[in-house]
Amino acid sequence: MNELQVTFNGRSYTFQPGQTVLIGRLSDNSIVVSDPTVSRRHAQLTWGPVGWLFENLGQARAFQEGHEVRQVIVRRPVELSLASRQGPVLRLEPLHAAGAPAPFEAGSQTARIPAPAAAPPPGFGPPGALGPPPGAYSPPGGYSSPAGSYGPPPGSYGPPPGGWAAPPGAGPEAAHPPGVGDELVLAFEILVPVKTWLRDAGWRQGLRLLVIAYALLPLVFLAFLSSSSSLAVPGFAYSLYVAPLWAIAFWLLLRPGRIAALEIYVGIAIIIWVTIWLNVVTVNINDHLVSAVRNGNFLAALAVGYNEEITKALPILLAALILLKFRATKLNVRMWMFLGTISGLTFGILEERLYTEMAIAQVANASAVSQADAGVLDFAFRVFVDGFEHAVWAGVAAFFIGIAINYPRRRWQLILFGISIVAVLHGLNDWSVSTFNSYWPGILIQAVSLLLFIGYTMSASSIERQVRRTPLFRGDSMAMDVLSEPKETGGS
């Protein structure tokens, strides 16, 4: 039969060959072990050429008779402790035939040759029967003796002449030892278990899929974009490639909580808004200011800073007001900061098309190695860092928007203050590029920006608690008195 019986916490489970048995804390595992020391996906049992195989998943641990094991071939009943020597115990028992123990295996310390059978007592079995009753145990191939009596010849403990016969239903390898070719195939299937990998639930984990995508995408870019006639295409493609990595980093820094359908819809709306507003409004305003910025006009650079930071902050503010007005919902401040970084990354991706095109053109037209190097470095900066800078500034502005929405008094002052901080930093950054023949002022400005952003990621909860207790930020807002003040649904 080759079934496997697993017993845990007084309950038994039976599995058929071909099934993958997952063990761990998650509710969708085949066997749920609700012990905090056990991993969500702790181990699995799979059927293969050698029978049932127990394997730990990831860094999970298991112990057999006090010794740590990674894999166990289940040829006999075994008990395994999960996570530690004192952890939850699983009993694994192969069922080779209904009610029968495992067949003899050469070299197995647990295999036992059945002892000689005694003559049946009077009345054993149906009247006139010479064998054991139906369903009674008999060794593989049946008993044999010269006289036709029960059991092997007296004093014999070895297999009968010719060896044991294969048990009913067993494969040909049970009666015939494998050849060299069969052994090589078996060894390859053990060492390169492709079938087991393909059935593994770990493929559904996003991190593994992300690693595969990020390993293959550069090659895909080469295949599809190498014949492109637009210099903006490589920068746009690689900016899209890098942006999700920054988004993951921001999520890990902010820990904004569970991202449900509502947050996903808001994020999509922010991306659409930034894309449309930048191309319709922001670019046209910047076109009238770019010459003055290049000539070192600080007021023009400051106007560019406000123009671009309002582009990123406006969808955050509108989304917060709409949720408050029509759904009576408040997201926590950390979530607004995370959505602000999404707005900034979107802006950066769209802006980088222009700058990466200029960098590639500089490399193509370079008359010296230093010029080509500068173009390559500028391309790398735009792809890897430009969107990150915009996300940092937008995240800081979104922090103040989140505070202002959740606590109405001084609402517009808070919003203006938050946008002004990053707009001034943005303007100083653009002005320093055209004024100083050095990258160091820009590095200093970015260091200050990062200090603000990371500071707010660390202290967002404590700042919000202080705001909640301070009358300065509470009360009615004259500008927003048309909005009712609902009960908060989120918190840091």
Short mmCIF file of all heavy atoms in Angstrom, two decimals, residues 243-288:
data_model
loop_
_atom_site.label_atom_id
_atom_site.label_comp_id
_atom_site.label_asym_id
_atom_site.label_seq_id
_atom_site.Cartn_x
_atom_site.Cartn_y
_atom_site.Cartn_z
N ALA A 243 13.03 50.51 -8.80
CA ALA A 243 12.02 51.10 -7.92
C ALA A 243 11.40 50.10 -6.94
O ALA A 243 11.23 50.41 -5.76
CB ALA A 243 10.94 51.79 -8.74
N PRO A 244 11.03 48.87 -7.35
CA PRO A 244 10.46 47.93 -6.37
C PRO A 244 11.40 47.59 -5.23
O PRO A 244 10.96 47.34 -4.10
CB PRO A 244 10.13 46.69 -7.22
CG PRO A 244 9.94 47.21 -8.60
CD PRO A 244 10.92 48.34 -8.73
N LEU A 245 12.71 47.58 -5.49
CA LEU A 245 13.66 47.30 -4.42
C LEU A 245 13.64 48.42 -3.38
O LEU A 245 13.70 48.17 -2.17
CB LEU A 245 15.07 47.15 -5.00
CG LEU A 245 15.28 45.96 -5.93
CD1 LEU A 245 16.71 45.95 -6.46
CD2 LEU A 245 14.96 44.65 -5.24
N TRP A 246 13.57 49.68 -3.85
CA TRP A 246 13.47 50.80 -2.91
C TRP A 246 12.14 50.73 -2.15
O TRP A 246 12.09 51.04 -0.95
CB TRP A 246 13.59 52.13 -3.64
CG TRP A 246 14.98 52.51 -4.03
CD1 TRP A 246 15.43 52.83 -5.27
CD2 TRP A 246 16.12 52.62 -3.15
NE1 TRP A 246 16.77 53.13 -5.24
CE2 TRP A 246 17.22 53.02 -3.95
CE3 TRP A 246 16.31 52.44 -1.79
CZ2 TRP A 246 18.49 53.23 -3.41
CZ3 TRP A 246 17.57 52.63 -1.25
CH2 TRP A 246 18.64 53.02 -2.05
N ALA A 247 11.07 50.33 -2.83
CA ALA A 247 9.77 50.23 -2.15
C ALA A 247 9.83 49.20 -1.02
O ALA A 247 9.30 49.42 0.08
CB ALA A 247 8.68 49.86 -3.15
N ILE A 248 10.51 48.07 -1.26
CA ILE A 248 10.67 47.06 -0.21
C ILE A 248 11.49 47.62 0.95
O ILE A 248 11.17 47.40 2.13
CB ILE A 248 11.33 45.80 -0.79
CG1 ILE A 248 10.39 45.12 -1.79
CG2 ILE A 248 11.73 44.83 0.32
CD1 ILE A 248 11.01 43.98 -2.55
N ALA A 249 12.55 48.36 0.62
CA ALA A 249 13.39 48.96 1.67
C ALA A 249 12.58 49.95 2.51
O ALA A 249 12.69 49.97 3.75
CB ALA A 249 14.59 49.66 1.05
N PHE A 250 11.75 50.77 1.86
CA PHE A 250 10.92 51.73 2.60
C PHE A 250 9.91 51.01 3.47
O PHE A 250 9.64 51.42 4.61
CB PHE A 250 10.21 52.68 1.63
CG PHE A 250 11.13 53.67 0.96
CD1 PHE A 250 11.09 53.86 -0.41
CD2 PHE A 250 12.03 54.41 1.70
CE1 PHE A 250 11.93 54.76 -1.02
CE2 PHE A 250 12.88 55.32 1.09
CZ PHE A 250 12.83 55.49 -0.28
N TRP A 251 9.33 49.93 2.96
CA TRP A 251 8.37 49.18 3.75
C TRP A 251 9.03 48.60 5.00
O TRP A 251 8.45 48.62 6.10
CB TRP A 251 7.75 48.06 2.92
CG TRP A 251 6.64 47.34 3.62
CD1 TRP A 251 5.32 47.67 3.65
CD2 TRP A 251 6.76 46.17 4.41
NE1 TRP A 251 4.62 46.78 4.41
CE2 TRP A 251 5.47 45.84 4.89
CE3 TRP A 251 7.83 45.35 4.77
CZ2 TRP A 251 5.23 44.74 5.70
CZ3 TRP A 251 7.60 44.25 5.58
CH2 TRP A 251 6.31 43.96 6.03
N LEU A 252 10.26 48.08 4.85
CA LEU A 252 10.97 47.53 6.00
C LEU A 252 11.34 48.61 7.01
O LEU A 252 11.33 48.38 8.23
CB LEU A 252 12.24 46.81 5.53
CG LEU A 252 12.01 45.52 4.71
CD1 LEU A 252 13.32 45.00 4.15
CD2 LEU A 252 11.34 44.46 5.56
N LEU A 253 11.68 49.81 6.51
CA LEU A 253 12.01 50.91 7.42
C LEU A 253 10.78 51.42 8.17
O LEU A 253 10.83 51.69 9.37
CB LEU A 253 12.62 52.07 6.63
CG LEU A 253 14.12 52.01 6.32
CD1 LEU A 253 14.50 53.14 5.38
CD2 LEU A 253 14.94 52.09 7.60
N LEU A 254 9.67 51.53 7.47
CA LEU A 254 8.48 52.17 8.04
C LEU A 254 7.60 51.19 8.81
O LEU A 254 6.93 51.59 9.77
CB LEU A 254 7.67 52.82 6.93
CG LEU A 254 8.29 54.08 6.32
CD1 LEU A 254 7.65 54.41 4.99
CD2 LEU A 254 8.13 55.25 7.28
N ARG A 255 7.55 49.93 8.38
CA ARG A 255 6.64 48.96 8.99
C ARG A 255 5.23 49.55 9.10
O ARG A 255 4.68 49.71 10.19
CB ARG A 255 7.15 48.54 10.37
CG ARG A 255 8.47 47.81 10.34
CD ARG A 255 8.34 46.48 9.67
NE ARG A 255 9.60 45.72 9.70
CZ ARG A 255 9.75 44.54 9.14
NH1 ARG A 255 8.75 44.00 8.47
NH2 ARG A 255 10.90 43.91 9.18
N PRO A 256 4.61 49.90 7.97
CA PRO A 256 3.33 50.63 8.04
C PRO A 256 2.14 49.77 8.42
O PRO A 256 1.04 50.28 8.59
CB PRO A 256 3.17 51.15 6.60
CG PRO A 256 3.89 50.15 5.76
CD PRO A 256 5.04 49.67 6.58
N GLY A 257 2.34 48.47 8.55
CA GLY A 257 1.21 47.59 8.85
C GLY A 257 0.75 46.84 7.61
O GLY A 257 1.36 46.92 6.54
N ARG A 258 -0.33 46.12 7.77
CA ARG A 258 -0.84 45.29 6.69
C ARG A 258 -1.33 46.14 5.52
O ARG A 258 -2.05 47.12 5.71
CB ARG A 258 -1.99 44.42 7.20
CG ARG A 258 -2.60 43.50 6.16
CD ARG A 258 -3.59 42.56 6.81
NE ARG A 258 -4.26 41.74 5.81
CZ ARG A 258 -5.43 42.04 5.24
NH1 ARG A 258 -6.03 43.17 5.59
NH2 ARG A 258 -5.98 41.24 4.36
N ILE A 259 -0.90 45.77 4.32
CA ILE A 259 -1.35 46.46 3.11
C ILE A 259 -2.52 45.68 2.53
O ILE A 259 -2.34 44.60 1.95
CB ILE A 259 -0.20 46.58 2.09
CG1 ILE A 259 0.95 47.41 2.70
CG2 ILE A 259 -0.69 47.22 0.80
CD1 ILE A 259 2.15 47.54 1.80
N ALA A 260 -3.71 46.21 2.72
CA ALA A 260 -4.93 45.55 2.26
C ALA A 260 -5.37 46.16 0.92
O ALA A 260 -4.67 46.97 0.32
CB ALA A 260 -6.03 45.70 3.31
N ALA A 261 -6.56 45.77 0.48
CA ALA A 261 -7.06 46.24 -0.82
C ALA A 261 -7.19 47.76 -0.85
O ALA A 261 -6.89 48.39 -1.87
CB ALA A 261 -8.40 45.57 -1.12
N LEU A 262 -7.64 48.36 0.25
CA LEU A 262 -7.81 49.81 0.27
C LEU A 262 -6.48 50.52 -0.01
O LEU A 262 -6.42 51.44 -0.84
CB LEU A 262 -8.36 50.25 1.63
CG LEU A 262 -8.48 51.76 1.85
CD1 LEU A 262 -9.49 52.36 0.87
CD2 LEU A 262 -8.89 52.06 3.30
N GLU A 263 -5.43 50.10 0.67
CA GLU A 263 -4.12 50.74 0.47
C GLU A 263 -3.62 50.52 -0.96
O GLU A 263 -2.98 51.40 -1.54
CB GLU A 263 -3.12 50.18 1.47
CG GLU A 263 -3.32 50.66 2.90
CD GLU A 263 -4.41 49.92 3.63
OE1 GLU A 263 -4.92 48.92 3.07
OE2 GLU A 263 -4.77 50.31 4.76
N ILE A 264 -3.89 49.35 -1.52
CA ILE A 264 -3.46 49.08 -2.91
C ILE A 264 -4.19 50.01 -3.87
O ILE A 264 -3.57 50.58 -4.78
CB ILE A 264 -3.72 47.60 -3.26
CG1 ILE A 264 -2.79 46.70 -2.43
CG2 ILE A 264 -3.50 47.36 -4.75
CD1 ILE A 264 -3.07 45.22 -2.59
N TYR A 265 -5.49 50.18 -3.68
CA TYR A 265 -6.26 51.08 -4.56
C TYR A 265 -5.76 52.52 -4.44
O TYR A 265 -5.63 53.24 -5.46
CB TYR A 265 -7.74 51.02 -4.23
CG TYR A 265 -8.38 49.68 -4.51
CD1 TYR A 265 -9.42 49.20 -3.72
CD2 TYR A 265 -7.94 48.88 -5.57
CE1 TYR A 265 -10.00 47.97 -3.96
CE2 TYR A 265 -8.51 47.65 -5.81
CZ TYR A 265 -9.54 47.20 -5.02
OH TYR A 265 -10.11 45.98 -5.26
N VAL A 266 -5.48 52.95 -3.21
CA VAL A 266 -4.97 54.31 -3.01
C VAL A 266 -3.62 54.46 -3.69
O VAL A 266 -3.33 55.48 -4.35
CB VAL A 266 -4.86 54.63 -1.50
CG1 VAL A 266 -4.14 55.96 -1.29
CG2 VAL A 266 -6.25 54.69 -0.88
N GLY A 267 -2.74 53.45 -3.56
CA GLY A 267 -1.44 53.52 -4.21
C GLY A 267 -1.55 53.61 -5.73
O GLY A 267 -0.83 54.40 -6.37
N ILE A 268 -2.46 52.84 -6.32
CA ILE A 268 -2.65 52.90 -7.78
C ILE A 268 -3.15 54.28 -8.19
O ILE A 268 -2.70 54.85 -9.19
CB ILE A 268 -3.63 51.79 -8.22
CG1 ILE A 268 -2.98 50.41 -8.02
CG2 ILE A 268 -4.03 51.98 -9.68
CD1 ILE A 268 -3.93 49.26 -8.24
N ALA A 269 -4.10 54.83 -7.42
CA ALA A 269 -4.62 56.17 -7.73
C ALA A 269 -3.51 57.22 -7.65
O ALA A 269 -3.45 58.15 -8.48
CB ALA A 269 -5.76 56.51 -6.78
N ILE A 270 -2.62 57.09 -6.66
CA ILE A 270 -1.51 58.05 -6.53
C ILE A 270 -0.59 57.97 -7.73
O ILE A 270 -0.16 58.99 -8.28
CB ILE A 270 -0.75 57.76 -5.21
CG1 ILE A 270 -1.60 58.19 -4.01
CG2 ILE A 270 0.60 58.47 -5.19
CD1 ILE A 270 -1.04 57.73 -2.68
N ILE A 271 -0.28 56.76 -8.18
CA ILE A 271 0.59 56.58 -9.35
C ILE A 271 -0.03 57.22 -10.58
O ILE A 271 0.64 57.92 -11.35
CB ILE A 271 0.87 55.08 -9.57
CG1 ILE A 271 1.74 54.53 -8.43
CG2 ILE A 271 1.55 54.84 -10.91
CD1 ILE A 271 1.87 53.02 -8.45
N ILE A 272 -1.32 57.00 -10.77
CA ILE A 272 -2.01 57.58 -11.94
C ILE A 272 -2.01 59.10 -11.86
O ILE A 272 -1.73 59.80 -12.85
CB ILE A 272 -3.44 57.02 -12.04
CG1 ILE A 272 -3.40 55.52 -12.33
CG2 ILE A 272 -4.24 57.76 -13.11
CD1 ILE A 272 -4.76 54.85 -12.25
N TRP A 273 -2.31 59.63 -10.68
CA TRP A 273 -2.35 61.09 -10.51
C TRP A 273 -0.99 61.71 -10.82
O TRP A 273 -0.90 62.69 -11.57
CB TRP A 273 -2.78 61.44 -9.09
CG TRP A 273 -2.70 62.93 -8.81
CD1 TRP A 273 -1.58 63.65 -8.52
CD2 TRP A 273 -3.78 63.86 -8.86
NE1 TRP A 273 -1.89 64.98 -8.34
CE2 TRP A 273 -3.23 65.14 -8.56
CE3 TRP A 273 -5.13 63.76 -9.10
CZ2 TRP A 273 -4.02 66.28 -8.50
CZ3 TRP A 273 -5.92 64.90 -9.03
CH2 TRP A 273 -5.35 66.15 -8.75
N VAL A 274 0.08 61.17 -10.24
CA VAL A 274 1.41 61.74 -10.44
C VAL A 274 1.79 61.69 -11.92
O VAL A 274 2.35 62.64 -12.47
CB VAL A 274 2.46 60.99 -9.58
CG1 VAL A 274 3.88 61.42 -9.94
CG2 VAL A 274 2.20 61.24 -8.10
N THR A 275 1.48 60.59 -12.58
CA THR A 275 1.82 60.45 -14.00
C THR A 275 1.13 61.52 -14.83
O THR A 275 1.76 62.17 -15.69
CB THR A 275 1.42 59.05 -14.50
OG1 THR A 275 2.10 58.06 -13.72
CG2 THR A 275 1.80 58.87 -15.96
N ILE A 276 -0.16 61.73 -14.59
CA ILE A 276 -0.90 62.72 -15.39
C ILE A 276 -0.48 64.14 -15.02
O ILE A 276 -0.18 64.97 -15.89
CB ILE A 276 -2.42 62.53 -15.17
CG1 ILE A 276 -2.86 61.16 -15.72
CG2 ILE A 276 -3.20 63.66 -15.85
CD1 ILE A 276 -4.30 60.81 -15.41
N TRP A 277 -0.44 64.45 -13.72
CA TRP A 277 -0.13 65.82 -13.28
C TRP A 277 1.27 66.24 -13.71
O TRP A 277 1.49 67.38 -14.12
CB TRP A 277 -0.27 65.90 -11.76
CG TRP A 277 -0.19 67.29 -11.20
CD1 TRP A 277 0.94 67.95 -10.81
CD2 TRP A 277 -1.27 68.20 -11.00
NE1 TRP A 277 0.64 69.21 -10.36
CE2 TRP A 277 -0.73 69.39 -10.47
CE3 TRP A 277 -2.64 68.14 -11.20
CZ2 TRP A 277 -1.50 70.49 -10.13
CZ3 TRP A 277 -3.42 69.22 -10.86
CH2 TRP A 277 -2.85 70.38 -10.33
N LEU A 278 2.23 65.35 -13.63
CA LEU A 278 3.60 65.70 -14.02
C LEU A 278 3.68 66.08 -15.49
O LEU A 278 4.33 67.06 -15.85
CB LEU A 278 4.54 64.52 -13.72
CG LEU A 278 6.04 64.75 -13.99
CD1 LEU A 278 6.88 64.05 -12.94
CD2 LEU A 278 6.44 64.24 -15.37
N ASN A 279 3.03 65.28 -16.34
CA ASN A 279 3.12 65.54 -17.78
C ASN A 279 2.28 66.73 -18.22
O ASN A 279 2.62 67.41 -19.19
CB ASN A 279 2.68 64.29 -18.55
CG ASN A 279 3.72 63.18 -18.49
OD1 ASN A 279 4.76 63.25 -19.12
ND2 ASN A 279 3.44 62.17 -17.70
N VAL A 280 1.19 67.02 -17.48
CA VAL A 280 0.30 68.11 -17.90
C VAL A 280 0.69 69.44 -17.26
O VAL A 280 0.66 70.50 -17.91
CB VAL A 280 -1.17 67.76 -17.56
CG1 VAL A 280 -2.09 68.94 -17.85
CG2 VAL A 280 -1.61 66.53 -18.35
N VAL A 281 1.07 69.43 -15.99
CA VAL A 281 1.30 70.67 -15.24
C VAL A 281 2.77 70.88 -14.91
O VAL A 281 3.36 71.90 -15.25
CB VAL A 281 0.45 70.67 -13.95
CG1 VAL A 281 0.72 71.93 -13.13
CG2 VAL A 281 -1.04 70.55 -14.27
N THR A 282 3.37 69.92 -14.21
CA THR A 282 4.71 70.11 -13.65
C THR A 282 5.74 70.42 -14.71
O THR A 282 6.56 71.35 -14.56
CB THR A 282 5.13 68.85 -12.86
OG1 THR A 282 4.07 68.47 -11.98
CG2 THR A 282 6.39 69.10 -12.07
N VAL A 283 5.75 69.65 -15.78
CA VAL A 283 6.77 69.85 -16.83
C VAL A 283 6.63 71.23 -17.46
O VAL A 283 7.63 71.91 -17.72
CB VAL A 283 6.64 68.73 -17.89
CG1 VAL A 283 7.52 69.04 -19.09
CG2 VAL A 283 7.01 67.38 -17.29
N ASN A 284 5.40 71.67 -17.68
CA ASN A 284 5.20 72.99 -18.32
C ASN A 284 5.69 74.12 -17.42
O ASN A 284 6.26 75.11 -17.90
CB ASN A 284 3.72 73.18 -18.65
CG ASN A 284 3.26 72.25 -19.77
OD1 ASN A 284 4.02 72.00 -20.71
ND2 ASN A 284 2.05 71.73 -19.67
N ILE A 285 5.47 74.02 -16.11
CA ILE A 285 5.97 75.06 -15.20
C ILE A 285 7.49 75.05 -15.16
O ILE A 285 8.14 76.09 -15.22
CB ILE A 285 5.38 74.84 -13.79
CG1 ILE A 285 3.86 75.05 -13.82
CG2 ILE A 285 6.04 75.77 -12.78
CD1 ILE A 285 3.18 74.75 -12.50
N ASN A 286 8.08 73.84 -15.09
CA ASN A 286 9.54 73.75 -15.03
C ASN A 286 10.20 74.28 -16.30
O ASN A 286 11.31 74.83 -16.25
CB ASN A 286 9.97 72.30 -14.80
CG ASN A 286 9.82 71.89 -13.35
OD1 ASN A 286 9.49 72.71 -12.48
ND2 ASN A 286 10.05 70.62 -13.07
N ASP A 287 9.54 74.11 -17.43
CA ASP A 287 10.12 74.61 -18.70
C ASP A 287 10.35 76.12 -18.65
O ASP A 287 11.28 76.63 -19.30
CB ASP A 287 9.20 74.25 -19.87
CG ASP A 287 9.28 72.77 -20.22
OD1 ASP A 287 10.24 72.11 -19.79
OD2 ASP A 287 8.36 72.28 -20.92
N HIS A 288 9.52 76.85 -17.92
CA HIS A 288 9.67 78.30 -17.82
C HIS A 288 10.72 78.69 -16.79
O HIS A 288 11.11 79.86 -16.72
CB HIS A 288 8.33 78.95 -17.44
CG HIS A 288 7.29 78.85 -18.53
ND1 HIS A 288 6.46 77.76 -18.66
CD2 HIS A 288 6.96 79.70 -19.54
CE1 HIS A 288 5.65 77.94 -19.70
NE2 HIS A 288 5.93 79.12 -20.25
#
